[in-house]
Amino acid sequence: MEAEPIRSNFYIGLALAVVSSILIGGSFILKKKGLLKLSSSGLVRAGQGGHAYLREWLWWAGMLSMAAGEAANFAAYIFAPATLVTPLGALSVLVSAVLSSYFLNEWLNVHGKLGCLLSILGSTVMVIHAPQEEEVSTLQEMADKLKDPGFIIFAVCMLFSSTLLIFVAGPRYGQNNVLVYVLICSIIGSFSVSCVKGLGITIKELFAGKPVLKEPLGWVLLFCLVACVSIQINYLNKALDIFNTSVVTPIYYVIFTTAVMTCSAILFREWQHMTLDNIIGTVSGFLTIVFGVFLIHAFRDIPFTPDLLPLFLRQAGASPQLTSWSEAGRYQSSLHQVMFSPEDTAKVVQGVEEETERERV
């Protein structure tokens, strides 16, 4: 009989995680549409310090969609293991990429399409093999888990590492190395997920009529969550401001998800009842998602056209089909563009010769 509530909670958490990804992925499209509408109207853009977007209903629709997505994500941690919920956050990247190609006319090349398929495949594998047992169901059990020597050692090591990154590595290498700020976000973020799980348990006990508001652990978890999220947002914004988004996003996803899965494995021990094939399946699904997200972002601005293929593959008979498949008419490789017309080239050569003649005189 106990297996039925556990299984139903698992599917509720899974559904909430998927809904969260759809809402968050769609929120980026709505906010982008609102910002583009403002830029076409001639108002001061957000990147130039303007705040006209606060009067745009599309932007607010995006914000509400993101808020609803984050709320669903919070609720998902209450019902399902973090090992399942966190990796499924990659679906928001997939949703955003697909919707961008339809509503923002942002071309999704063959690498992006393959990345989307791999993300779906990896997510499916993780859902099949993810742990369905939830080891912590009361606030007292959460307190006992936090006192575990293994978790205390892990927490001390992570806090010491993040302190070194913030005060030593950050000022020296943060402007040049993307890993510094991303590592800070990921390490602190792993604790924020654990705090969310603890607060979820607190909320469930509160609705059950237990006097959890008198327990200091719930308030400590809330304070730690606010502090972790603040630090996480601060350093993530620094990384996005300095480095390209297509570089930061996949690296952050990989390191953050790895940190969360490690923290959950140590604190909640969600892996201890898993069989070997389920462990292999979960890890394989996660790595597949990682590779899919990498393909979506890393090659987003690289067009795949026939002129990028070797000469022996570019045959006259196959070019029409290949051109229509890749929609080469929308892009032309910069490696094969004619930079100057023959007339411009002659003018440049003549100017160089005249300058050389004057130097001789």
Side-chain angles (χ1 to χ4, degrees):
M1 295 296 292
E2 293 182 1
E4 281 300 320
I6 292 176
R7 183 172 292 274
S8 63
N9 287 343
F10 174 84
Y11 289 121
I12 292 172
L14 172 62
L16 288 170
V18 173
V19 170
S20 170
S21 297
I22 295 173
L23 291 173
I24 293 175
S27 70
F28 289 108
I29 309 303
L30 290 171
K31 288 193 290 184
K32 183 70 173 180
K33 291 282 286 186
L35 294 173
L36 289 174
K37 185 178 178 181
L38 288 174
S39 64
S40 62
S41 63
L43 298 174
V44 181
R45 301 178 64 173
Q48 299 171 344
H51 299 283
Y53 56 85
L54 294 176
R55 299 193 299 270
E56 176 56 48
W57 70 270
L58 274 174
W59 186 86
W60 278 109
M63 285 298 297
L64 292 175
S65 177
M66 177 167 283
E70 293 295 344
N73 191 58
F74 180 92
Y77 282 110
I78 299 177
F79 294 98
T83 308
L84 173 70
V85 177
T86 304
L88 287 182
L91 292 179
S92 63
V93 179
L94 186 152
V95 172
S96 178
V98 173
L99 293 180
S100 295
S101 65
Y102 283 100
F103 297 103
L104 299 178
N105 295 323
E106 295 182 1
W107 177 239
L108 189 64
N109 59 17
V110 67
H111 304 93
K113 293 176 181 177
L114 181 59
C116 291
L117 291 175
L118 288 175
S119 298
I120 295 174
L121 176 62
S123 300
T124 304
V125 172
M126 286 208 68
V127 169
I128 294 173
H129 295 282
Q132 298 188 15
E133 292 86 5
E134 180 53 62
E135 292 300 316
V136 181
S137 57
T138 65
L139 203 58
Q140 182 58 47
E141 291 180 359
M142 182 71 182
D144 295 337
K145 294 292 184 182
L146 292 172
K147 297 176 185 177
D148 185 78
F151 176 74
I152 293 175
I153 294 173
F154 171 79
V156 170
C157 292
M158 292 297 99
L159 291 175
F160 180 73
S161 301
S162 59
T163 302
L164 289 179
L165 288 169
I166 292 173
F167 295 105
V168 179
R172 294 183 181 180
Y173 310 109
Q175 300 292 321
N176 303 316
N177 194 327
V178 67
L179 288 176
V180 176
Y181 291 147
V182 171
L183 280 171
I184 296 172
C185 298
S186 302
I187 293 173
I188 300 299
S190 65
F191 292 114
S192 67
V193 171
S194 300
C195 293
V196 167
K197 291 285 290 185
L199 287 174
I201 296 171
T202 304
I203 293 173
K204 289 173 68 175
E205 291 198 330
L206 180 64
F207 285 131
K210 298 182 180 179
V212 293
L213 294 179
K214 298 179 181 180
E215 297 289 336
L217 179 59
W219 298 104
V220 171
L221 291 173
L222 179 61
F223 172 79
C224 291
L225 177 62
V226 173
C228 289
V229 170
S230 301
I231 296 173
Q232 193 176 353
I233 292 175
N234 177 46
Y235 284 96
L236 182 59
N237 285 335
K238 285 186 176 183
L240 291 172
D241 185 52
I242 298 171
F243 304 100
N244 194 302
T245 305
S246 62
V247 175
V248 175
T249 304
I251 295 176
Y252 174 65
Y253 172 78
V254 172
I255 300 178
F256 171 70
T257 308
T258 303
V260 170
M261 293 174 68
T262 303
C263 184
S264 298
I266 295 174
L267 177 60
F268 300 110
R269 299 181 181 177
E270 295 172 342
W271 296 64
Q272 67 178 359
H273 296 298
M274 294 178 66
T275 59
L276 180 60
D277 60 329
N278 284 333
I279 293 176
I280 295 174
T282 302
V283 174
S284 300
F286 170 61
L287 293 177
T288 304
I289 296 175
V290 168
F291 188 59
V293 172
F294 175 78
L295 283 179
I296 292 173
H297 283 276
F299 302 102
R300 184 175 56 185
D301 299 324
I302 300 177
F304 186 80
T305 58
D307 54 347
L308 293 178
L309 296 174
L311 289 174
F312 71 90
L313 291 178
R314 282 186 274 160
Q315 300 175 1
S319 59
Q321 290 84 353
L322 185 58
T323 301
S324 62
W325 172 75
S326 62
E327 296 192 21
R330 299 179 61 175
Y331 289 95
Q332 185 177 6
S333 173
S334 60
L335 297 176
H336 298 81
Q337 288 177 348
V338 179
M339 303 304 293
F340 298 99
S341 63
E343 292 80 4
D344 293 335
T345 304
K347 291 178 181 179
V348 172
V349 172
Q350 183 180 358
V352 173
E353 291 177 351
E354 291 176 355
E355 183 67 25
T356 305
E357 187 65 26
R358 282 196 296 268
E359 290 178 356
R360 289 178 181 176
V361 175

